[in-house]
Amino acid sequence: MRTFNGPMKTGRNSLLPIELSGGGRFVCSRENFVPAYLRAFEEGILQERADEAIEALRSCRVCPRDCEIDRLNNKIGVCKSGRLARVASAFPHFGEEDCLRGWNGSGTIFFGWCNLRCVFCQNFETSQFGEGAEVTAAELARIMLDLQEIGCHNINFVTPEHVVPQILEALVIAVERGLRLPLVYNTSAYDSPESIQWMNGLIDIYMPDFKLWDAEHCRKYLVASNYAEAARGGHRRDARPGRRTQSGRGRPRLTRRVAAASRHARSA
């Protein structure tokens, strides 16, 4: 077996991460890549799912909490999110796995609030204090497109479980306006069957960040005693043939260019 002690030089005089070495044969050019969601968009499936998911906010069961509150009319439950998604930061992330960050970074979008209460959360200001600002579907779409424009290799939704309907709504707009990057579903693994089904065939890379197995530990440290059961069921759906999975999480930071996107989206 051939091994590498560091990044490998390519013909373009740039450095390839070890995971992408081998003369570039594991690299797919953006021109040749077809994202999973494109066919669903062309057949009208993406729009149908977005409409269905947004309507489901009237009695929300987007995550395993099953709060059944009317988020469509801005009522809030455990995740503290109403009709709109909250974005804490968006930027090219170089702390993800090499195969995701590439040369120009993974286009991460960190969503504010969370459906878990992890006592060890490293992004506590974002998940529990709701750091960031609410964005409309058009504004969220604009953020995706800005990440694509500055050269990110993918769109990486971080902690998206509670805002799947809002992501789908924005994705329709983003694809209409030219989004063609692969999507990474960077989840805490506390997803509902409905959300996983809505995302089926749209996500290119599933990245569940699994926490704990023991129900009592889940209750104590996540404030979700059914976490392991929900995560096990969701991961089985994520990892069906044809889907790619990773694991991991990183610390967010804000880049002005992308963060400013939401302020300009209304005039886009």
Side-chain angles (χ1 to χ4, degrees):
M1 178 183 293
R2 186 179 180 187
T3 60
F4 298 90
N5 295 320
M8 173 181 174
K9 284 279 188 178
T10 70
R12 295 182 294 173
N13 295 319
S14 61
L15 291 176
L16 267 177
I18 294 174
E19 290 83 351
L20 301 181
S21 60
R25 68 178 181 270
F26 301 120
V27 179
C28 178
S29 68
R30 182 174 297 183
E31 292 76 15
N32 295 328
F33 176 77
V34 179
Y37 53 78
L38 193 57
R39 181 175 178 180
F41 173 78
E42 292 171 345
E43 295 178 354
I45 296 172
L46 177 57
Q47 182 67 66
E48 290 176 5
R49 291 189 187 176
D51 293 342
E52 179 182 339
I54 291 295
E55 182 60 27
L57 290 174
R58 289 190 186 278
S59 181
C60 188
R61 298 184 65 185
V62 170
C63 85
R65 296 285 187 184
D66 291 343
C67 293
E68 297 187 344
I69 47 87
D70 187 1
R71 289 176 61 190
L72 196 63
N73 286 302
N74 227 32
K75 306 298 182 182
I76 60 173
V78 175
C79 73
K80 300 182 181 179
S81 299
R83 172 63 180 85
L84 300 178
R86 179 176 290 264
V87 172
S89 61
F91 61 96
H93 197 335
F94 292 90
E96 296 286 18
E97 287 78 1
D98 284 345
C99 56
L100 294 180
R101 74 188 185 201
W103 299 272
N104 300 321
S106 176
T108 49
I109 301 176
F110 283 82
F111 290 101
W113 301 123
C114 184
N115 59 358
L116 291 175
R117 296 290 183 270
C118 303
V119 298
F120 47 80
C121 182
Q122 65 180 13
N123 296 326
F124 194 84
E125 299 87 353
T126 297
S127 65
Q128 307 307 318
F129 293 163
E131 182 181 59
E134 290 186 339
V135 294
T136 65
E139 290 169 340
L140 182 53
R142 183 67 260 168
I143 292 173
M144 297 182 208
L145 293 168
D146 271 15
L147 290 167
Q148 176 174 267
E149 184 180 338
I150 62 179
C152 292
H153 301 292
N154 47 69
I155 301 298
N156 189 341
F157 300 122
V158 182
T159 317
E161 300 95 307
H162 57 300
V163 291
V164 167
Q166 292 87 342
I167 290 173
L168 290 169
E169 184 182 33
L171 187 59
V172 173
I173 299 171
V175 177
E176 286 176 343
R177 298 181 181 179
L179 182 70
R180 294 296 183 271
L181 294 183
L183 301 181
V184 181
Y185 192 74
N186 194 342
T187 172
S188 296
Y190 197 45
D191 298 279
S192 71
E194 290 83 358
S195 289
I196 295 298
Q197 183 56 42
W198 286 327
M199 287 297 192
N200 182 28
L202 306 180
I203 298 297
D204 296 284
I205 301 171
Y206 281 83
M207 196 168 166
D209 183 14
F210 183 78
K211 315 292 184 186
L212 302 165
W213 281 118
D214 183 79
E216 177 58 23
H217 288 163
C218 292
R219 181 199 65 77
K220 183 176 181 179
Y221 299 115
L222 312 181
V223 194
S225 59
N226 67 336
Y227 172 81
E229 179 184 356
R232 183 185 292 110
H235 185 65
R236 283 173 180 164
R237 296 179 180 89
D238 293 347
R240 283 179 293 185
R243 299 189 178 189
R244 297 172 285 279
T245 59
Q246 292 277 333
S247 63
R249 185 77 86 224
R251 178 76 178 175
R253 68 179 184 277
L254 184 64
T255 50
R256 295 177 182 175
R257 170 168 167 63
V258 177
S262 62
R263 296 197 295 270
H264 299 294
R266 295 185 188 278
S267 60

